[in-house]
Amino acid sequence: MAKQTLQVLSHTFTIHSFTPETAIPTQVFAEPVFFVGKTQDELSVVVPDTLSLDSLEAEPNWRALEVLGPLGFSLTGILSEISAVLAAEKISIFAISTFDTDYILVKNDTLERAAQALRRAEYKILNND
């Protein structure tokens, strides 16, 4: 029996780093998918590669796998189990959680290997491409 179903998003993303004082560029909010995280030390913004931002650092070519949800807060270990499968394959991840679900970003050049490893671990992978 399959575990969770993951959907590969069609966008390729860039992860941007800013100082925490930086205002979030307004064009970010027009994107179909974006993620923002801010702490006392940094501001991170994840947007589709098609949007160019003037950031301190940028890490391009990430693909996102969405754990189809919604996932209840009482569920445990989902992100841990998925990341363990990918860690065993030496695939680096960038994880993002929202109220309803989790997103696991992998470098575009490891996407197919990640999908194969997850399928072997009985996850269902849907591809948007």
Side-chain angles (χ1 to χ4, degrees):
M1 174 120 149
K3 296 178 184 176
Q4 284 78 28
T5 299
L6 289 87
Q7 173 75 52
V8 178
L9 301 187
S10 58
H11 304 285
T12 302
F13 293 91
T14 297
I15 303 165
H16 294 273
S17 177
F18 298 91
T19 66
E21 300 80 25
T22 303
I24 299 168
T26 57
Q27 63 267 42
V28 167
F29 302 109
E31 291 301 311
V33 178
F34 65 89
F35 302 95
V36 175
K38 183 178 178 181
T39 68
Q40 293 179 6
D41 300 320
E42 68 168 317
L43 169 66
S44 294
V45 177
V46 180
V47 291
D49 278 351
T50 53
L51 178 60
S52 179
L53 298 177
D54 186 21
S55 55
L56 296 172
E57 290 184 59
E59 182 70 28
N61 297 315
W62 291 85
R63 295 294 300 274
L65 297 114
E66 174 186 1
V67 181
L68 295 183
L71 305 175
F73 284 103
S74 63
L75 297 174
T76 60
I78 293 171
L79 188 56
S80 173
E81 291 175 13
I82 293 169
S83 63
V85 169
L86 299 177
E89 296 292 321
K90 307 261 189 274
I91 296 172
S92 180
I93 69 166
F94 186 89
I96 300 171
S97 294
T98 67
F99 190 90
D100 285 337
T101 195
D102 296 315
Y103 294 82
I104 296 89
L105 281 70
V106 298
K107 286 297 241 173
N108 194 36
D109 63 355
T110 66
L111 177 63
E112 188 54 40
R113 204 162 43 95
Q116 289 171 0
L118 290 164
R119 285 186 186 105
R120 283 192 306 271
E122 300 182 3
Y123 290 91
K124 184 174 183 182
I125 307 297
L126 303 176
N127 206 327
N128 245 358
D129 291 339

